[in-house]
Amino acid sequence: MSEIQNILRLLKNTREEEILVEMEKSFENISIQQSEWYKKSEFFCPSGCGECCRDFEPDLLECEALYMAAWLLENQPEVAKKIAEGIFPYPRFKGCQFWIENQSYHCSIYGGRAFICRLFGACGNKNKDGEIVFKPCKFYSSDKLAQYKIPLSHRQYSKMEIEEIFGILPPVMSDLMELSLSFNPGTQKTELIRDILPKEVRKLQWIISMNNKENYTEI
């Protein structure tokens, strides 16, 4: 089921609705491929870690910011209204504006998170020769890595090694991104969350108001 069902209804027959539907299809595709990797490899991020997000603020393409704005308007409307004014719930000089220190699961917008947040740690990459490679996250415990049937370390593994250790190849970040971004409405230019998200929230608020003039309730 869609996490932005009401927003999609309010955006019916708009270009924004089309983009958001495609975004959800992309997220579902990522989830399916990662589920296979998790199931067969048994290689999971430690529960409640969040270290990769502590000092990292994603920069977003327009389609990512659009989905994040829609998710907030649907699931955290009061937060979305504040963000439209440039006020974030967990403002930080460095790092993501939605990362919470004193909470087991640190992301406060998990369902609306960006592509990189969905992909990091559960995807491989391609080397200069186009071969799939995989490197465990630098925050992954060395003790836990050493517990695999073939002990791992924080180095890059080749396709042959990955298949031998895990019995499956991970989804490839560049491939998933290429498929997912074909419908991005603008250029490939990106902006930090703190810069692009307020604009996208305001844009969606305006489009929804214009698309529902007769029965508009501010969101």
Side-chain angles (χ1 to χ4, degrees):
M1 180 180 291
S2 172
E3 294 199 29
I4 54 170
Q5 191 170 359
N6 186 52
I7 296 301
L8 290 176
R9 178 181 59 80
L10 294 171
L11 291 169
K12 189 173 179 60
N13 298 323
T14 65
R15 173 59 175 151
E16 285 68 28
E17 179 200 22
E18 294 176 5
I19 294 168
L20 292 171
V21 168
E22 290 300 319
M23 289 292 288
E24 289 207 314
K25 289 179 182 178
S26 293
F27 293 157
E28 179 63 19
N29 179 43
I30 289 170
S31 179
I32 290 170
Q33 293 197 44
Q34 287 179 332
S35 292
E36 283 297 305
W37 163 251
Y38 287 138
K39 181 180 178 180
K40 293 183 179 180
S41 71
E42 299 184 348
F43 191 91
F44 300 90
C45 287
S47 179
C49 175
E51 286 303 310
C52 58
C53 310
R54 181 184 292 274
D55 295 320
F56 173 70
E57 179 178 358
D59 51 326
L60 309 180
L61 288 162
E62 186 178 343
C63 60
E64 296 179 277
L66 187 74
Y67 188 85
M68 192 176 289
W71 189 92
L72 282 160
L73 286 166
E74 176 91 19
N75 297 280
Q76 298 179 14
E78 293 305 315
V79 173
K81 289 178 183 178
K82 289 290 186 181
I83 289 172
E85 301 170 4
I87 303 170
F88 284 83
Y90 308 101
R92 306 172 73 221
F93 176 73
K94 181 181 180 182
C96 184
Q97 304 295 293
F98 294 104
W99 193 87
I100 312 173
E101 175 72 47
N102 57 347
Q103 184 171 296
S104 297
Y105 297 96
H106 302 287
C107 181
S108 64
I109 56 162
Y110 193 75
R113 67 197 187 282
F115 278 118
I116 188 63
C117 308
R118 296 169 190 267
L119 296 170
F120 187 79
C123 278
N125 287 295
K126 289 184 178 179
N127 63 18
K128 62 182 180 180
D129 298 318
E131 182 184 85
I132 296 175
V133 294
F134 177 75
K135 184 176 182 180
C137 170
K138 66 179 181 180
F139 297 110
Y140 209 94
S141 164
S142 295
D143 291 339
K144 189 171 179 62
L145 289 175
Q147 292 173 10
Y148 279 83
K149 59 182 179 181
I150 299 178
L152 303 174
S153 62
H154 291 99
R155 70 169 178 85
Q156 182 169 282
Y157 290 84
S158 69
K159 177 181 177 180
M160 185 179 298
E161 289 175 313
I162 299 166
E163 290 178 313
E164 180 183 1
I165 296 167
F166 299 113
I168 185 176
L169 291 173
V172 179
M173 185 179 293
S174 58
D175 291 348
L176 290 172
M177 289 293 288
E178 184 177 353
L179 287 170
S180 301
L181 302 181
S182 60
F183 48 83
N184 185 56
T187 66
Q188 298 304 302
K189 178 184 176 182
T190 61
E191 295 181 64
L192 290 174
I193 286 177
R194 68 184 75 201
D195 296 323
I196 192 172
L197 190 57
K199 295 183 288 187
E200 291 301 312
V201 173
R202 292 194 297 269
K203 182 173 77 175
L204 278 185
Q205 287 174 324
W206 182 81
I207 293 171
I208 288 170
S209 69
M210 293 295 101
N211 207 39
N212 301 269
K213 287 183 179 180
E214 294 181 1
N215 302 298
Y216 177 62
T217 301
E218 184 180 0
I219 59 172

